[in-house]
Amino acid sequence: MDEPRDGANERSPREGLGQAVLRRLFSNRYPLAASIAIFAGLGVAQVLPWTLALALMAAMAAVSMFAPVRSFSQRRAALTQQTSAGPDAKRSRAVLDSLPNPVMLLDRRGTILVVNRACHRFFGDTLETGASVLMRFRSPELIAMINGALAGGTPGPVEVMERYPIERWFEATVVRLPAEVAGDTPYLLHFRDLSETRRIDRMRSDFIANASHELRTPLASLSGFIETLAGPARNDTAARDRFLAIMLEQTSRMSRLIDDLLSLSRLETALANTEFEPVDIAEVLRHVRMTLAPTANEADVTINEDIAAIDDPECRVWGSRDELIQVFSNLIENAIRYAGTGKRIDVGAERVPVSGVDSIRVTVRDYGPGIEADHIPRLTERFYRVDVESSRAKKGTGLGLAIVKHILTRHVGRLSITSQMGEGASFVVTIPVWIEKTDI
């Protein structure tokens, strides 16, 4: 047989009227006895007339006979629900707060009832419970999506850009929760952070645009000279010799650019250190100096080297010799190209602790015109140049320091740059010392 839903206004078919009255009187015995005792005491003390006291006692008895009562099973079920509600609520809150993306729960009118920690991290203090979500966001697409969901529809996700506290891109989705678990919060609004994806897309787009521009200039030059040699200058020996020299220079420029692009692409996709081995930085620096000696002599630049502090077989780093040669070749060659007016370059090395880690620090110091402070943070960006025309004239591709940065990242190293206008610049490379592990 089905039990009564509340145990008060209905009785079981097996239970008679008298039994039901007695059950209610028994269930309410304590408040009934207390009220009778109070009214009897007030009658004895002549605070109330006995007729009024007896009437009040009768009224309490009548109320007790028909007052709602719950069965034992109902009281036990209510107690179980009450004790389980607390842990369930805490568990749900912990799950929401552990999510990396912003999530909020809304009621049927779009009022914010619950926000997780990620909401505060991404949106600051601009989200408050009890406020309307439609008043917080200004994106027409987002508002239309939320209104569509509140009206009973199933709108698809939309992209939203938030400018405060910083510029971010999100994919917003609103879903209706199942009725059996929704309660007063039938809607869930979720934001997926797309900022890193958009940043990479923009960087890729900028990279392609810059690479295309850098290649287009020498190609246009080659195309123009070829047309001239095939036409008006076909029989002009002097013009042909002059044009061929320029075409060779432009071809070399394209070749250097393509080599640097391939190097950068190879470094960005080189995720494993399987080709690494102990490398002697002192030997690398001597090799680079010998290789660049003709370039330095041609520019009338002296390279002073002081690497005695790391000229020790025990002072090595874990890495790729070829890549480290590329690092110091780029730095010293840049110093020769752009700071040759100082006629001197100092290359020094020392072994120092950096943040508690035994490290090798190599400094390439020039005495050229220096670099303005505004340019220093951007020097390792691809194709960034302080002076575009000067860089092209000196056969620079704008990728050298970007390659240096990627190589040092693979070697758990770092590059720092300091400069004073009129006093030159210092490029400092720091790499941890390799410590050989021995079995005990």
Side-chain angles (χ1 to χ4, degrees), residues 256-269:
R256 289 193 303 271
L257 179 59
I258 292 172
D259 288 342
D260 283 351
L261 287 172
L262 291 175
S263 295
L264 197 56
S265 176
R266 185 179 65 253
L267 290 169
E268 289 180 340
T269 56

Side-chain angles (χ1 to χ4, degrees), residues 399-417:
L399 294 173
L401 291 180
I403 292 173
V404 168
K405 178 183 177 181
H406 277 281
I407 294 176
L408 292 179
T409 299
R410 268 173 51 81
H411 288 72
V412 200
R414 64 181 182 182
L415 172 70
S416 58
I417 306 170

Side-chain angles (χ1 to χ4, degrees), residues 241-309:
D241 293 341
R242 185 171 69 255
F243 290 167
L244 286 175
I246 299 174
M247 291 169 68
L248 179 62
E249 181 183 348
Q250 295 298 324
T251 304
S252 300
R253 176 183 169 189
M254 279 197 301
S255 178
R256 289 193 303 271
L257 179 59
I258 292 172
D259 288 342
D260 283 351
L261 287 172
L262 291 175
S263 295
L264 197 56
S265 176
R266 185 179 65 253
L267 290 169
E268 289 180 340
T269 56
L271 302 179
N273 293 346
T274 53
E275 300 177 357
F276 280 15
E277 61 183 359
V279 179
D280 186 346
I281 294 293
E283 186 274 331
V284 167
L285 291 172
R286 282 193 290 266
H287 174 83
V288 171
R289 180 185 179 184
M290 181 179 63
T291 302
L292 293 178
T295 304
N297 291 334
E298 184 180 349
D300 195 21
V301 173
T302 302
I303 301 177
N304 299 319
E305 197 172 73
D306 181 9
I307 59 174

Side-chain angles (χ1 to χ4, degrees), residues 101-121:
N101 288 323
V103 174
M104 61 187 72
L105 298 177
L106 313 175
D107 67 8
R108 292 176 176 82
R109 295 178 299 175
T111 303
I112 301 173
L113 300 181
V114 178
V115 295
N116 67 348
R117 290 178 183 171
C119 283
H120 296 296
R121 186 169 67 252

Side-chain angles (χ1 to χ4, degrees), residues 53-250:
L54 292 173
L56 291 173
M57 291 181 205
M60 285 299 301
V63 170
S64 299
M65 285 189 290
F66 298 100
V69 294
R70 291 186 298 174
S71 65
F72 174 74
S73 61
Q74 289 172 325
R75 289 196 299 271
R76 184 173 61 184
L79 180 62
T80 302
Q81 183 178 5
Q82 182 179 4
T83 55
S84 63
D88 286 344
K90 292 180 180 178
R91 190 180 301 111
S92 300
R93 182 70 195 193
V95 170
L96 287 177
D97 285 340
S98 65
L99 295 176
N101 288 323
V103 174
M104 61 187 72
L105 298 177
L106 313 175
D107 67 8
R108 292 176 176 82
R109 295 178 299 175
T111 303
I112 301 173
L113 300 181
V114 178
V115 295
N116 67 348
R117 290 178 183 171
C119 283
H120 296 296
R121 186 169 67 252
F122 283 93
F123 301 123
D125 297 328
T126 61
L127 285 175
E128 296 181 359
T129 55
S132 173
V133 69
L134 300 174
M135 299 299 293
R136 163 58 181 82
F137 297 100
R138 293 291 182 265
S139 170
E141 295 82 5
L142 178 61
I143 293 175
M145 181 192 69
I146 296 174
N147 283 328
L150 297 178
T154 55
V158 298
E159 287 194 7
V160 182
M161 187 183 72
E162 281 289 300
R163 298 186 181 277
Y164 181 85
I166 61 174
E167 183 176 299
R168 289 184 181 274
W169 284 91
F170 296 96
E171 181 186 70
T173 308
V174 62
V175 295
R176 187 181 181 91
L177 299 176
E180 58 270 17
V181 298
D184 296 331
T185 57
Y187 296 99
L188 182 146
L189 181 59
H190 173 263
F191 293 85
R192 184 165 68 93
D193 187 15
L194 302 178
S195 304
E196 184 64 16
T197 303
R198 290 290 175 269
R199 187 187 68 81
I200 292 174
D201 288 343
R202 183 162 51 194
M203 185 172 64
R204 184 184 297 113
S205 176
D206 292 343
F207 176 76
I208 293 174
N210 286 325
S212 301
H213 175 73
E214 292 295 330
L215 288 170
R216 187 181 296 114
T217 301
L219 282 174
S221 177
L222 287 173
S223 177
F225 287 130
I226 290 173
E227 290 179 0
T228 303
L229 289 174
R234 180 187 297 271
N235 299 317
D236 190 338
T237 304
R240 183 174 64 248
D241 293 341
R242 185 171 69 255
F243 290 167
L244 286 175
I246 299 174
M247 291 169 68
L248 179 62
E249 181 183 348
Q250 295 298 324

